[in-house]
Amino acid sequence: MEIGLAIISGLILLIAMTAIFLGFKKVPQGFNYTVERFGKYTRFLHAGPNFIIPFIEQVGQEMDMRERTIDIENQKVITKDNATVMVNGIIFYQVIDAAKAAYEVENYVETVKDLITTNVRGTVGSMELDELLSKREEISESILTDVGKSTTSWGIKIFRVKIKDIAPPEELAEAMNKQLTAERQKRAVLHEAEGRRQSEIMRAEGSKKAKILEAEGEKQAQILKAQAQQEAELLYSKQREESATHDALARERLAQAEAKATAMMSQALANGDVQAVNYFVAEKYIKAFGELAKAPNEKLVMLPMEATSMLGALQGIGEIGKEAFQRKNESNNT
């Protein structure tokens, strides 16, 4: 009896250990395992130690959740202008839903690859060769947008699509090289002609500006000359006005002196002072005789017969002076 219990206990222990061994699942980092119960998906296992129910549950798909790549092999594509080119590229993708990638699509790698290949043919076929060679980034963006919409429902995300190479046939490449060489030579000739044209334009502009500056300089010189002449005329006019003013003042003072002398002479006549009258007449006579002697065309001066009268007047002037001197002395003595 005891032996039977021991055997049963051993069997139970063996079964338990076997169940634990079969139910323990270690999932590597970067992977998710799907769990199927009697063939139906129930859940998935994360990285690390996990347990399933032995004989009832089993691991269905081991899904790599890391970012991976798919190469697009060389394929012939006919462009819009009927040029045949070889196109290849690379896809960067990642499984983001293990259940969808395992059960929504059969062999998701091949499916994504076929989808990208078909999309590349459609996109490249809608473009001309020249446009195709110069717009690789736009082609990649267009393919990524179109493919991303389809792969989302499969639990797959496409991060990047890169077109690595677009190779036309050798004869077409040779023709394109010749065309490119001709275009470069044409641009070189055009650039040289444009350079000469610009040089001539700049030379003409420089000559034009030099003439304009020269004309401006002459204009400024004429303006300055006219201003200087105007200022000189104003200064001369001012000097003439001042001279005329001085002459007028001098004539006014002379007239005042004449008037004063005439008044004194009238007073002398009224007082009966003959000597003062003789002085006045003699002074006028001498002044008139001096003006006569200053005449530029006269070389010979004839004295009139009345010269004795002038001498008498001069004698009278001497008498007046002597009398005035005696009066002054008498006034000083008193």
Side-chain angles (χ1 to χ4, degrees):
M1 190 70 179
E2 293 179 358
I3 295 174
L5 290 175
I7 293 172
I8 293 173
S9 299
L11 289 175
I12 293 173
L13 180 61
L14 180 61
I15 293 171
M17 292 181 63
T18 303
I20 292 172
F21 176 76
L22 294 176
F24 178 77
K25 298 297 180 182
K26 183 179 69 173
V27 180
Q29 183 68 36
F31 284 79
N32 283 345
Y33 291 177
T34 62
V35 178
E36 299 175 357
R37 181 177 298 173
F38 300 115
K40 181 180 180 180
Y41 168 77
T42 57
R43 69 183 188 280
F44 62 87
L45 305 179
H46 294 283
N50 294 272
F51 290 92
I52 62 174
I53 303 173
F55 310 113
I56 298 177
E57 295 178 339
Q58 63 181 1
V59 175
Q61 299 288 335
E62 297 179 359
M63 306 301 297
D64 191 343
M65 307 299 291
R66 296 172 296 180
E67 184 175 341
R68 303 171 67 188
T69 62
I70 299 176
D71 287 329
I72 304 173
E73 299 176 356
N74 277 327
Q75 55 180 322
K76 288 184 178 180
V77 181
I78 300 177
T79 63
K80 186 177 181 180
D81 52 353
N82 296 322
T84 302
V85 295
M86 299 295 292
V87 181
N88 58 32
I90 188 170
I91 307 166
F92 296 85
Y93 76 98
Q94 184 180 16
V95 176
I96 57 176
D97 191 327
K100 289 183 178 181
Y103 302 106
E104 296 293 335
V105 61
E106 181 181 2
N107 194 350
Y108 67 88
V109 175
E110 291 298 327
T111 303
V112 171
K113 187 175 180 180
D114 292 340
L115 179 63
I116 293 292
T117 301
T118 303
N119 201 278
V120 167
R121 288 179 180 176
T123 303
V124 173
S126 64
M127 304 175 69
E128 295 183 356
L129 180 59
D130 292 339
E131 185 181 10
L132 178 65
L133 295 176
S134 61
K135 295 183 177 180
R136 293 189 183 186
E137 292 297 329
E138 294 183 10
I139 295 172
S140 299
E141 291 294 331
S142 176
I143 295 173
L144 177 61
T145 302
D146 294 339
V147 173
K149 297 177 181 178
S150 300
T151 58
T152 302
S153 61
W154 301 339
I156 298 170
K157 182 175 182 180
I158 307 297
F159 290 101
R160 291 176 297 278
V161 176
K162 294 294 183 182
I163 301 299
K164 294 192 295 185
D165 191 21
I166 300 175
E170 293 183 0
E171 60 275 10
L172 182 58
E174 184 178 355
M176 292 176 63
N177 288 331
K178 290 181 179 179
Q179 181 181 2
L180 181 60
T181 301
E183 288 291 334
R184 288 178 178 175
Q185 292 177 350
K186 178 181 177 181
R187 286 197 297 267
V189 173
L190 291 176
H191 288 166
E192 184 178 359
E194 183 65 20
R196 288 197 297 267
R197 189 177 75 87
Q198 292 294 333
S199 177
E200 292 296 332
I201 292 174
M202 293 178 66
R203 188 179 294 110
E205 288 291 336
S207 177
K208 177 181 177 181
K209 290 181 179 179
K211 291 181 179 179
I212 291 174
L213 292 176
E214 183 179 359
E216 288 291 335
E218 292 179 357
K219 179 180 178 181
Q220 292 295 330
Q222 293 295 331
I223 292 174
L224 293 176
K225 182 177 179 181
Q227 290 178 351
Q229 185 175 0
Q230 183 179 6
E231 292 177 357
E233 291 178 355
L234 291 175
L235 181 61
Y236 179 71
S237 176
K238 184 177 181 181
Q239 290 177 350
R240 289 183 60 185
E241 291 179 358
E242 292 178 353
S243 178
T245 302
H246 293 163
D247 291 343
L249 291 174
R251 287 193 297 270
E252 182 179 357
R253 291 176 181 175
L254 181 61
Q256 291 176 356
E258 290 289 341
K260 186 175 181 180
T262 303
M264 292 177 64
M265 181 56 62
S266 300
Q267 185 66 32
L269 289 174
N271 295 332
D273 191 349
V274 179
Q275 291 180 347
V277 174
N278 290 335
Y279 173 77
F280 182 76
V281 173
E283 191 268 336
K284 291 293 184 181
Y285 191 88
I286 292 172
K287 184 175 180 181
F289 187 75
E291 293 295 331
L292 181 63
K294 290 180 181 179
N297 296 327
E298 295 296 335
K299 302 299 182 181
L300 180 63
V301 178
M302 301 295 294
L303 293 176
M305 293 298 294
E306 289 81 2
T308 55
S309 300
M310 181 183 67
L311 295 176
L314 292 175
Q315 184 177 5
I317 293 170
E319 291 295 332
I320 293 172
K322 185 184 295 183
E323 183 179 354
F325 183 74
Q326 289 178 356
R327 291 177 179 176
K328 183 177 180 181
N329 289 333
E330 289 177 358
S331 62
N332 291 334
N333 291 329
T334 57

